[in-house]
C-alpha cells in the first residue's frame, strides 16, 4: 500500500481517531518482522504494509528505523515486566510468590517466541543496541528489585537460603524458560517434539518450578512441590453438574447391565437436536463369527456416493451404543455431508475380547463389499471412535492393514491405546472428572479376562504392535485432564516414528468424554470441528 493511500481514506481516519492504536499496531508488526529477519534485513516498507499505514507515518511516530527497533525491543521487555507486575507477588506468601513467578516466566516466554528471538539477535550483536539505548536499565531495574523483596521476605521467615542473590535467581528462572523456546527447533530436530506438546510442556514447567524451589529453599533437601492444579475449562462446570446429578440416581454397586440402562436414559435426556439434513433411521444387522451385530446409519440427505466413517462408541467396552453417541455421529455426517455407520458391538463382561473387535471387522468388510447399495465410496472408508471405541478403531486399523478394505484414515478420540498405568497422566489425573483410575483394573479385566494380553496383544493394546508402518493417517485427540492422555500421546509418537502422518489435538483444559459437553463448552465444539475438517481432507478425492 503506497503512502498516498495512507494519507487519505481509512488509514488517515484511523490515525486521527486512534493514534495510540496505530502506534501499538506498528510496534507489534515491527517486533514480528525484526524477530523474523533481524535488524539489517527488515524493511520499514514491509512493516507499513502489514499495518495499513505508511512509511512516512512510521517515521512520524518513531523518527527512523533504529528508533522503531529500539522501541519495539523496549516494548517487548516491558510486556514481561508488566505481566510480572500484574501478578502482585508482594501479596503472596514467599514460596507461592516464587512458584507463581516461575510459572509466569515459563508461560510468557513460550507464548512470545518473537521476544526470545529479539533477545537472541541482540546477543549475536553483543547487545550493542541495548547498550546504546540504555533502555534495559529502565525496564529491568524493577524486576531485580521485586526479586530482592521476594527473597528478603522468604529469608526473614527462614524459608529461603541467605546466600542466594536476586540477580542469580533471575538468571536461573530466565535460563530455564528461555532455553525452552530458543532451542526448540534444534532440540526437536535432534530428539523429536514430544517435550513441546501440551503434556510435555506441563511437565517441564512443573520441573522448572521444582528446580528453582530446590535451589532457593532453606534446609530442605527435598522440598515438597505443590502439584499443579488441573487446568479445567470453566465452561465444563455446567455439564459436569448436570452429568453428576443424573448419574447420582444409579445406586452404589450397580451391575454393568444397570449402568447400561442408566447410560441410555441419560444420553437420551441430554441429546441435542439432530441436524435436519441427516437421516438416522436406517439399521442393519451384519453376521460375524462373534454373532450378529446391529449398526445404525447416519447418512446425509444429499444422497449420491458419500465417504464413510465406521464409528465405535465409547463406554469402557461394557456400555454405550449408537444411540448414546448420536450427537457425535449425526454432526459428523451433517458437517461432512457423508455417511457414518455406528456399530452396536457386543459388550463386556458377557462378551469379552475379541468379540467386539471381530464384530467391528465384520462391519468394515460388509460396508466395503456392499458399498454400492449403501451409497458409499469403497475407496473412502475411515474408522473412528472415542475412548474404548478409539481403542477398537486403532485395533481395527491394524487388523485391516493390507486387507481388501483400504482404510484412508483413523479418527482416535481420547483413545486407550495401551494399559500402562505408570504414565504420568494416570497419577496427575487419578481423580479427574468422568474417568478415574480407581476401578480401571476391574473394567479392563472385564474386557480381557486374560489380563496378560493387556500388555502383549496389539489387538487389545494397539501400542504394543511390533510395527505401525503402513497404517492410515491418524487424528489423535487427547484431553489434558484425562488419565488416558499419555496413552494417546504415546500412540501418536509411535505412529509418527513409523512414518504415519498424525494430526494431534492436545485438548487443553478438557476432560475425558468432552464431546458430550458440546452444549456447554465452546472448546468441545471447536474440537469436533477440527476433527471433521481433518476427516473431510482425508476423504477428498
Amino acid at each position: 500500500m503506497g503512502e498516498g493511500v495512507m494519507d487519505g481514506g481509512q488509514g488517515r481516519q484511523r490515525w486521527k481517531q486512534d493514534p495510540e492504536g496505530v502506534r501499538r499496531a506498528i510496534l507489534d508488526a515491527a517486533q514480528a518482522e525484526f524477530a523474523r529477519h533481524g535488524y539489517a534485513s527488515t524493511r520499514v516498507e514491509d512493516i507499513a504494509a502489514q499495518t495499513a499505514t505508511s512509511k512516512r507515518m512510521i517515521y512520524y511516530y518513531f523518527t527512523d528505523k533504529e528508533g522503531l527497533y529500539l522501541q519495539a525491543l523496549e516494548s517487548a521487555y516491558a510486556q514481561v515486566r508488566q505481566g510480572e507486575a500484574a501478578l502482585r507477588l508482594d501479596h503472596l506468601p514467599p514460596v507461592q510468590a516464587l512458584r507463581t513467578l516461575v510459572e509466569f516466566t515459563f508461560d510468557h516466554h513460550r507464548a512470545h517466541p518473537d521476544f526470545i528471538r529479539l533477545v537472541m539477535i541482540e546477543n549475536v550483536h553483543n547487545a550493542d543496541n541495548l547498550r546504546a539505548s540504555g533502555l534495559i536499565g529502565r525496564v529491568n531495574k524493577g524486576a531485580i528489585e521485586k526479586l530482592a523483596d521476594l527473597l528478603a521476605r522468604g529469608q526473614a521467615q527462614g524459608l529461603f537460603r541467605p546466600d542466594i542473590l536476586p540477580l542469580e535467581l533471575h538468571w536461573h528462572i530466565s535460563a530455564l524458560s528461555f532455553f525452552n523456546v530458543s532451542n526448540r527447533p534444534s532440540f526437536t530436530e535432534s530428539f523429536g517434539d514430544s517435550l513441546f506438546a501440551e503434556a510435555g510442556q506441563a511437565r517441564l514447567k512443573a520441573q522448572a518450578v521444582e528446580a528453582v524451589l530446590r535451589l532457593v529453599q532453606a534446609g530442605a533437601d527435598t522440598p515438597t512441590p505443590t502439584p499443579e492444579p488441573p487446568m479445567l475449562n470453566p465452561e465444563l462446570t455446567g455439564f459436569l453438574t448436570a452429568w453428576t446429578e443424573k448419574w447420582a440416581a444409579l445406586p452404589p454397586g450397580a451391575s454393568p447391565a444397570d449402568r447400561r440402562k442408566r447410560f441410555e436414559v441419560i444420553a437420551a435426556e441430554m441429546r441435542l437436536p439432530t441436524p435436519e439434513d441427516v437421516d438416522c433411521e436406517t439399521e442393519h444387522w451384519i453376521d460375524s463369527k462373534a454373532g450378529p451385530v446391529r449398526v445404525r446409519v447416519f447418512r446425509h440427505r444429499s444422497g449420491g456416493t458419500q465417504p464413510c466413517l465406521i464409528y465405535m462408541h465409547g463406554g469402557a467396552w461394557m456400555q454405550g451404543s449408537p444411540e448414546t453417541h448420536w450427537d457425535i455421529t449425526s454432526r459428523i455426517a451433517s458437517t461432512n455431508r457423508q455417511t457414518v455407520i455406528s456399530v452396536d458391538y457386543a459388550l463386556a463382561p458377557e462378551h469379552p475380547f475379541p468379540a467386539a473387535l471381530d464384530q467391528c471387522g465384520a462391519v468394515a468388510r460388509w460396508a466395503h463389499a456392499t458399498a454400492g447399495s449403501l451409497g458409499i465410496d469403497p475407496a473412502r472408508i475411515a474408522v473412528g471412535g472415542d475412548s474404548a471405541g478409539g481403542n477398537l478403531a486403532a485395533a481395527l486399523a491394524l487388523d485391516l492393514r493390507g486387507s481388501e478394505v483400504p482404510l484412508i484414515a483413523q479418527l482416535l478420540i481420547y483413545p486407550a491405546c495401551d494399559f500402562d498405568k505408570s504414565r504420568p497422566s494416570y497419577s496427575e489425573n487419578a481423580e479427574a472428572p468422568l474417568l478415574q483410575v480407581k476401578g480401571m483394573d476391574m473394567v479392563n479385566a472385564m474386557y480381557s479376562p486374560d489380563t496378560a494380553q493387556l500388555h502383549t496383544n496389539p489387538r487389545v493394546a494397539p501400542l504394543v504392535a511390533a510395527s505401525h508402518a503402513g497404517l492410515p493417517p491418524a487424528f489423535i485427540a487427547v484431553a489434558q485432564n484425562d488419565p488416558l492422555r499419555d496413552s494417546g500421546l504415546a500412540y501418536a509418537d509411535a505412529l509418527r516414528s513409523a512414518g504415519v502422518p498424525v494430526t494431534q489435538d492436545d485438548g487443553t483444559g478438557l476432560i475425558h468424554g468432552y464431546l458430550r459437553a458440546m452444549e456447554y463448552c465452546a472448546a468441545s465444539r471447536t474440537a469436533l470441528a477440527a476433527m471433521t475438517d481433518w476427516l473431510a481432507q482425508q476423504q477428498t478425492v
Side-chain angles (χ1 to χ4, degrees):
M1 180 175 290
E3 293 181 13
V5 176
M6 173 61 202
D7 285 346
Q10 292 182 348
R12 184 170 182 82
Q13 289 302 314
R14 185 183 172 199
W15 170 71
K16 288 181 177 181
Q17 296 169 5
D18 185 18
E20 182 54 33
V22 173
R23 182 179 181 279
R24 179 71 258 170
I26 294 172
L27 280 177
D28 289 344
Q31 285 181 18
E33 286 296 301
F34 285 128
R36 187 177 299 113
H37 303 297
Y39 177 80
S41 298
T42 294
R43 302 192 317 155
V44 175
E45 293 89 338
D46 293 336
I47 297 171
Q50 291 188 36
T51 56
T53 184
S54 68
K55 185 175 179 181
R56 178 163 45 190
M57 187 61 67
I58 290 176
Y59 288 153
Y60 170 82
Y61 279 106
F62 303 100
T63 305
D64 54 21
K65 178 180 173 181
E66 181 180 1
L68 175 59
Y69 175 76
L70 291 177
Q71 289 201 41
L73 195 59
E74 180 170 357
S75 175
Y77 272 100
Q79 287 176 9
V80 185
R81 304 288 86 91
Q82 289 166 3
E84 291 170 351
L87 299 175
R88 297 175 62 82
L89 299 178
D90 52 335
H91 294 277
L92 296 175
V95 173
Q96 184 180 348
L98 182 54
R99 176 184 299 281
T100 300
L101 179 62
V102 177
E103 291 175 340
F104 165 79
T105 306
F106 189 96
D107 288 338
H108 181 279
H109 286 7
R110 183 186 175 204
H112 296 83
D114 285 349
F115 167 67
I116 302 301
R117 294 189 188 100
L118 285 172
V119 176
M120 292 170 67
I121 290 169
E122 277 302 297
N123 279 294
V124 168
H125 296 288
N126 296 309
D128 289 340
N129 290 292
L130 291 175
R131 185 182 306 110
S133 69
L135 69 87
I136 289 302
R138 297 195 299 275
V139 298
N140 282 350
K141 179 181 178 182
I144 303 303
E145 290 176 347
K146 281 184 176 294
L147 278 177
D149 176 70
L150 194 161
L151 278 174
R153 290 194 293 121
Q155 290 162 349
Q157 298 177 37
L159 300 172
F160 293 162
R161 291 167 43 181
D163 58 339
I164 297 292
L165 300 176
L167 190 59
E168 295 171 339
L169 181 55
H170 179 74
W171 185 93
H172 286 288
I173 296 172
S174 296
L176 291 166
S177 303
F178 192 94
F179 181 93
N180 184 57
V181 181
S182 65
N183 285 53
R184 174 175 178 173
S186 58
F187 200 96
T188 298
E189 183 64 28
S190 300
F191 306 108
D193 64 352
S194 61
L195 287 182
F196 301 98
E198 288 298 328
Q201 289 288 281
R203 285 175 56 79
L204 287 180
K205 181 168 68 171
Q207 291 165 5
V209 171
E210 183 178 356
V212 173
L213 289 178
R214 283 177 179 272
L215 170 71
V216 173
Q217 285 186 301
D221 293 333
T222 311
T224 302
T226 303
E228 277 196 278
M231 189 182 76
L232 198 66
N233 188 311
E235 292 185 353
L236 291 168
T237 303
F239 162 73
L240 290 173
T241 299
W243 183 258
T244 303
E245 289 176 351
K246 290 181 179 297
W247 276 103
L250 191 70
S255 68
D258 292 332
R259 293 190 61 87
R260 288 172 202 152
K261 293 177 183 177
R262 186 61 190 155
F263 191 15
E264 296 291 335
V265 171
I266 293 172
E269 291 176 348
M270 299 184 73
R271 183 182 295 173
L272 299 172
T274 301
E276 294 181 358
D277 57 358
V278 176
D279 178 1
C280 313
E281 299 305 316
T282 302
E283 294 182 324
H284 296 277
W285 285 89
I286 295 94
D287 289 329
S288 80
K289 63 182 179 181
V293 54
R294 179 180 68 97
V295 299
R296 181 177 289 277
V297 178
F298 296 80
R299 180 171 172 80
H300 195 269
R301 296 185 188 277
S302 58
T305 301
Q306 300 179 2
C308 174
L309 171 68
I310 299 172
Y311 192 88
M312 277 62 73
H313 64 80
W317 300 280
M318 69 172 183
Q319 62 188 24
S321 68
E323 288 70 39
T324 61
H325 287 62
W326 190 292
D327 287 342
I328 298 171
T329 50
S330 64
R331 277 157 179 75
I332 293 175
S334 175
T335 301
N336 283 0
R337 301 173 66 85
Q338 69 167 91
T339 296
V340 179
I341 298 175
S342 189
V343 185
D344 191 18
Y345 55 82
L347 299 174
E350 297 89 341
H351 305 282
F353 172 83
L357 183 56
D358 287 345
Q359 289 186 343
C360 294
V363 170
R365 290 181 169 87
W366 165 80
H368 184 265
T370 61
S373 61
L374 290 171
I376 63 174
D377 185 345
R380 291 189 290 164
I381 297 177
V383 293
D386 63 280
S387 192
N391 167 281
L392 291 170
L396 182 56
L398 285 167
D399 274 1
L400 295 176
R401 178 173 49 181
S403 75
E404 74 279 13
V405 184
L407 299 179
I408 61 167
Q410 49 182 326
L411 173 62
L412 311 180
I413 307 169
Y414 26 87
C417 297
D418 73 339
F419 300 87
D420 181 1
K421 293 198 301 181
S422 69
R423 299 188 186 282
S425 59
Y426 281 89
S427 56
E428 293 171 15
N429 301 308
E431 299 295 328
L434 255 72
L435 180 65
Q436 291 83 44
V437 173
K438 61 184 178 182
M440 278 189 177
D441 288 343
M442 179 180 67
V443 169
N444 296 340
M446 287 182 186
Y447 178 58
S448 178
D450 179 1
T451 55
Q453 294 197 70
L454 295 171
H455 308 286
T456 59
N457 188 341
R459 298 190 78 216
V460 180
L463 184 58
V464 305
S467 171
H468 296 92
L471 290 172
F475 186 109
I476 299 182
V478 298
Q480 181 181 9
N481 304 291
D482 180 1
L484 300 184
R485 180 195 69 208
D486 292 348
S487 179
L489 294 176
Y491 199 60
D493 287 342
L495 293 183
R496 291 191 191 97
S497 296
V500 177
V502 176
T503 298
Q504 179 178 310
D505 186 334
D506 292 328
T508 303
L510 296 176
I511 59 174
H512 188 84
Y514 64 74
L515 288 183
R516 296 202 160 275
M518 285 187 283
E519 179 181 2
Y520 300 82
C521 181
S524 297
R525 299 189 294 272
T526 300
L528 183 62
M531 298 172 197
T532 54
D533 286 349
W534 175 85
L535 191 60
Q537 292 172 12
Q538 309 308 309
Q539 294 177 325
T540 300
V541 177

